[in-house]
Amino acid sequence: MGTYQVRGGQGVNQILAAIRDGYRSLDTATNYDNEGAVGEAIRRSGLPRSAFFVTSKLPGKYHQYDDATISIQESLYRMGLDYFDLFLIHWPLPKRDHYVEAWRAMIDAQKRGLIRSIGVSNFEPEHLDRIIKETGVTPAVNQIEVHPYWVQERMRKADLERGIVTEAWSPLGRGSAALQEPMIKQLAEKYQKNVGQIILRWHTQRGIVPIPKAQHLQHQRANIDIFDFSLTKDEIEAINALSKPDGRVDGQDPNVYEEFE
Ligand SMILES: NC(=O)c1ccc[n+]([C@@H]2O[C@H](COP(=O)([O-])OP(=O)(O)OC[C@H]3O[C@@H](n4cnc5c(N)ncnc54)[C@H](OP(=O)(O)O)[C@@H]3O)[C@@H](O)[C@H]2O)c1
């Protein structure tokens, strides 16, 4: 489950509800100001740490080697954990050009046991190739924007060719127009599912790991109940065809987008 905007005491309760309904993979980031709430929900669940797959992310202001090293430690302290299952460079910020240093800091943090798997987010093929070439280490995951209006077949293939798992952020298009798409509504009727479930199934059948965010219980329950039906190849292609040239939810182009938080 994604946790952007899921914060504070209410956030802890919403994450706990998701855990009780079966969620084990939780995606947070230093930039979301909620690593504390996610860590608290994990502790209150009473489940062992090993039951969870916890992801957090390095903010752009900490890409330099020493800053990145400390930022990883501080994220762990905020969460009350002693390791991450997955840690990602949140954005490449190519104009600042420190992402290779950040990657080296993550490789070393992994060697020290602070992170099990290291990955990136919003990396384009040239950013992937550069860190692989300069360090010899391929990211396990690239977390990128993917939804029916921003299908990203080019990046899905680029990740696949390099042996990298693609995760989809805003997999439901951040609850926007994609959820009103008539063609997907028809599929929902056919399969007796809701539109969100059709979209999440489409991601998984493309080999992509979606991380939907849901604060409402009925959304949380629906989003995890997608493993008892299959879309046809033609239906997957039909959803792929909904992609738009300007389909990003917030216009964030990784080649130029700068997050300074
Ligand atoms: N790496 C990055 O740069 C990056 C960027 C953005 C996001 N992310 C991660 O990706 C996660 C997901 O992205 P997101 O939060 O932007 O958007 P999203 O998951 O695509 O959409 C979330 C919105 O959809 C609603 N929703 C959830 N399930 C639904 C369903 N079954 N039917 C109808 N509406 C439903 C949610 O409502 P309620 O919450 O009210 O239930 C919420 O308003 C984030 O939380 C974050 O962890 C990463």
Side-chain angles (χ1 to χ4, degrees):
M1 190 173 82
T3 66
Y4 177 53
Q5 293 174 329
V6 185
R7 302 176 61 218
Q10 192 187 35
V12 172
N13 288 333
Q14 288 164 340
I15 297 164
L16 258 179
I19 292 170
R20 289 196 183 112
D21 279 331
Y23 286 83
R24 294 292 179 271
S25 174
L26 301 170
D27 180 90
T28 179
T30 299
N31 283 349
Y32 303 166
D33 285 329
N34 70 350
E35 288 169 314
V38 176
E40 183 64 16
I42 288 170
R43 271 187 301 286
R44 283 199 210 166
S45 75
L47 295 171
R49 166 69 182 90
S50 57
F52 292 95
F53 188 90
V54 183
T55 302
S56 193
K57 313 187 192 83
L58 181 75
K61 66 181 174 186
Y62 294 139
H63 275 196
Q64 293 186 44
Y65 185 93
D66 289 345
D67 291 337
T69 302
I70 290 170
S71 183
I72 294 162
Q73 294 164 348
E74 289 290 345
S75 283
L76 285 170
Y77 297 146
R78 279 192 293 274
M79 297 200 75
L81 301 178
D82 52 15
Y83 71 92
F84 284 113
D85 297 277
L86 178 65
F87 202 81
L88 310 174
I89 300 177
H90 206 148
W91 289 88
L93 289 97
K95 283 195 274 180
R96 293 193 165 202
D97 199 19
H98 290 303
Y99 63 87
V100 180
E101 258 186 85
W103 188 238
R104 288 191 199 285
M106 296 201 2
I107 292 167
D108 290 345
Q110 184 185 36
K111 285 185 188 147
R112 291 199 304 278
L114 301 183
I115 309 170
R116 295 263 164 101
S117 294
I118 53 177
V120 296
S121 181
N122 302 300
F123 271 43
E124 291 287 307
E126 62 268 32
H127 309 138
L128 294 173
D129 288 341
R130 184 150 167 233
I131 56 171
I132 295 167
K133 186 162 171 255
E134 294 199 23
T135 68
V137 180
T138 301
V141 165
N142 189 13
Q143 185 183 113
I144 55 173
E145 178 175 356
V146 188
H147 44 76
Y149 293 154
W150 193 247
V151 166
Q152 295 254 53
E153 191 56 14
R154 172 186 69 95
M155 273 312 304
R156 190 188 72 84
K157 284 190 180 142
D159 287 342
L160 196 64
E161 281 163 14
R162 292 164 178 78
I164 299 170
V165 173
T166 301
E167 279 189 349
W169 62 258
S170 293
L172 301 169
R174 204 165 282 169
S176 66
L179 289 168
Q180 307 301 326
E181 181 63 40
M183 191 273 284
I184 307 181
K185 278 186 178 169
Q186 280 176 12
L187 292 176
E189 276 173 34
K190 172 179 168 186
Y191 289 103
Q192 297 288 294
K193 291 282 172 183
N194 68 36
V195 173
Q197 290 170 313
I198 300 291
I199 295 173
L200 294 172
R201 184 71 206 177
W202 165 75
H203 283 290
T204 58
Q205 286 189 230
R206 291 178 79 210
I208 292 177
V209 180
I211 47 165
K213 187 273 286 187
Q215 285 166 281
H216 286 94
L217 203 58
Q218 73 271 27
H219 288 160
Q220 292 178 353
R221 287 187 175 157
N223 293 349
I224 207 164
D225 179 22
I226 59 162
F227 301 106
D228 58 354
F229 74 107
S230 290
L231 302 170
T232 67
K233 202 167 170 290
D234 287 349
E235 288 164 349
I236 290 168
E237 290 298 329
I239 299 177
N240 287 351
L242 296 173
S243 200
K244 299 177 181 196
D246 60 348
R248 290 184 165 108
V249 288
D250 222 1
Q252 293 165 316
D253 176 351
N255 284 304
V256 291
Y257 181 70
E258 301 233 326
E259 43 96 24
F260 294 106
E261 290 303 312

